[in-house]
């Protein structure tokens, strides 16, 4: 059984003006997600600025999220690193915190071979006994790509590696993965503009940035598809395309934090080296939000 099906939010980590984590706002944002149909919370991923959290902050954010969610929906913690030992440490601590699963990104900077990737992920998986979703995002990892054959092999050979978040922007590779997987790999779209195409080939859902500001709508894209109403699912996907484009007109999570702040959801500041949106991009985002109906 998949850790979740549907739309899981890649939730932001709210920050105070001084750069500290804003746990009060985080609690409110988690409640907003649950009240509006989100199917899972993915904490301390790319959108959660995990790369600029200290290890202590990283784990405290995970612990807080688990406590706040309190078993109502699955919590999946990002625990990847370019250092295998660090990823093992974070993964073990996240398991102790009570998460339902882990999201482990491809090692960045080191540029591991496929053999190295297999060893890396296998060592992490063997250190815990909860499900792991691989996170394949070459654009963030120096072009390192987990090949379909490697993903399928890992899911076949390592019992608790169960799937992958695919953010490769390579639909041909995704189709090959699904052909090889034969139902053995739980796949989630890592791109909000490709939810319905991914579902059409058998994906379980999406790990979504859009869900931070439109949780019900993103949930509904998946739910309508699973109900068999593909035309309505596609309509909802296309309705969101302009907004999704605006959410990625600068590097994530710069735009989504801006969008949340415009909505009064208190995402707060960004950790450096990320900076606030350029004025012209902020205007584009605001216009798209008004057109979509989530900003008056």
């Amino acid at each position: 059984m998949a850790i979740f099906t549907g739309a899981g939010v890649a939730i932001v980590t709210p920050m105070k003006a001084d750069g500290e984590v804003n746990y009060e706002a985080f609690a409110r944002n988690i409640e907003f997600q649950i009240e509006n149909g989100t199917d899972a919370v993915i904490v301390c991923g790319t959108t959660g600025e995990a790369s600029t959290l200290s290890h202590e902050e990283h784990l405290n954010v995970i612990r807080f999220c688990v406590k706040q969610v309190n078993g109502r929906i699955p919590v999946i913690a990002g625990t990847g690193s370019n250092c295998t030992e660090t990823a093992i440490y974070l993964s073990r601590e996240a398991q102790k915190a009570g998460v339902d699963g882990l999201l482990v990104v491809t090692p960045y900077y080191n540029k591991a071979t496929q053999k190295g990737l297999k060893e890396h992920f296998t060592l992490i998986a063997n250190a815990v006994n909860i499900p792991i979703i691989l996170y394949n995002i070459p654009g963030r990892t120096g072009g390192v790509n987990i090949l379909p054959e490697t993903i399928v092999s890992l899911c076949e050979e390592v019992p608790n590696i169960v799937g992958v978040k695919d953010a490769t922007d390579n639909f041909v590779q995704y189709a090959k993965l699904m052909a090889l997987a034969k139902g053995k790999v739980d796949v989630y779209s890592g791109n909000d503009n490709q939810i319905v195409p991914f579902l059409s080939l058998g994906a379980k859902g999406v790990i979504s940035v859009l869900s931070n500001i439109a949780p019900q709508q993103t949930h509904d894209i998946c739910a309508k598809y699973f109900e068999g109403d593909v035309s309505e699912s596609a309509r909802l996907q296309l309705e969101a395309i302009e907004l999704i484009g605006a959410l990625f007109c600068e590097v994530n999570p710069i735009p989504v934090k801006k969008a949340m702040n415009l909505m009064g959801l208190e995402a707060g500041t960004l950790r450096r080296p990320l900076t606030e949106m350029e004025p012209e991009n902020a205007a584009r985002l605001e216009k798209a939000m008004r057109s979509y109906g989530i900003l008056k």
Side-chain angles (χ1 to χ4, degrees), residues 135-152:
Y135 182 10
N136 195 20
I137 182 165
R140 294 265 187 175
T141 59
V144 177
N145 179 29
I146 321 173
L147 295 178
E149 294 84 354
T150 303
I151 295 168
V152 173

Side-chain angles (χ1 to χ4, degrees), residues 9-230:
V9 61
I11 200 162
V12 306
T13 303
M15 305 289 182
K16 298 179 181 178
D18 63 3
E20 294 299 308
V21 176
N22 186 338
Y23 286 102
E24 293 81 6
F26 194 31
R28 289 191 290 272
N29 292 342
I30 290 169
E31 292 305 313
F32 171 74
Q33 290 296 317
I34 294 174
E35 289 165 7
N36 287 279
T38 286
D39 297 293
V41 175
I42 294 80
V43 62
C44 288
T46 302
T47 313
E49 297 177 85
S51 61
T52 51
L53 297 175
S54 70
H55 291 166
E56 181 181 11
E57 288 176 317
H58 190 143
L59 294 171
N60 283 340
V61 169
I62 291 169
R63 292 173 186 129
F64 182 90
C65 185
V66 170
K67 184 176 180 180
Q68 185 68 35
V69 171
N70 194 28
R72 288 175 288 174
I73 56 176
V75 174
I76 300 163
T79 56
S81 172
N82 68 321
C83 171
T84 305
E85 290 302 318
T86 300
I88 288 171
Y89 166 71
L90 293 172
S91 298
R92 283 174 168 163
E93 292 300 314
Q95 178 173 323
K96 291 177 188 176
V99 300
D100 298 281
L102 305 172
L103 181 70
V104 182
V105 71
T106 310
Y108 40 87
Y109 190 79
N110 310 65
K111 293 204 168 185
T113 63
Q114 295 301 301
K115 177 183 176 182
L117 293 175
K118 284 194 69 174
E119 290 189 4
H120 174 79
F121 290 123
T122 300
L123 286 166
I124 297 166
N126 288 342
V128 296
N129 56 16
I130 53 176
I132 289 175
I133 298 171
L134 309 176
Y135 182 10
N136 195 20
I137 182 165
R140 294 265 187 175
T141 59
V144 177
N145 179 29
I146 321 173
L147 295 178
E149 294 84 354
T150 303
I151 295 168
V152 173
S153 175
L154 282 163
C155 288
E156 288 178 336
E157 296 171 13
V158 186
N160 59 326
I161 296 180
V162 299
V164 64
K165 174 185 176 182
D166 184 308
T168 62
D169 277 327
N170 185 338
F171 202 78
V172 173
Q173 177 173 299
Y174 167 63
K176 181 178 181 181
L177 168 62
M178 296 307 282
L180 292 173
K182 302 185 187 302
K184 298 174 185 176
V185 181
D186 295 336
V187 180
Y188 299 90
S189 173
N191 298 309
D192 286 307
N193 60 0
Q194 297 174 7
I195 302 171
V196 174
F198 265 62
L199 295 178
S200 73
L201 292 184
K204 299 292 184 181
V206 61
I207 295 177
S208 170
V209 175
L210 176 65
S211 284
N212 280 284
I213 59 171
Q216 188 66 59
Q217 297 92 324
T218 315
H219 164 86
D220 288 348
I221 292 172
C222 296
K224 290 297 181 183
Y225 190 94
F226 292 135
E227 290 168 8
D229 193 347
V230 176

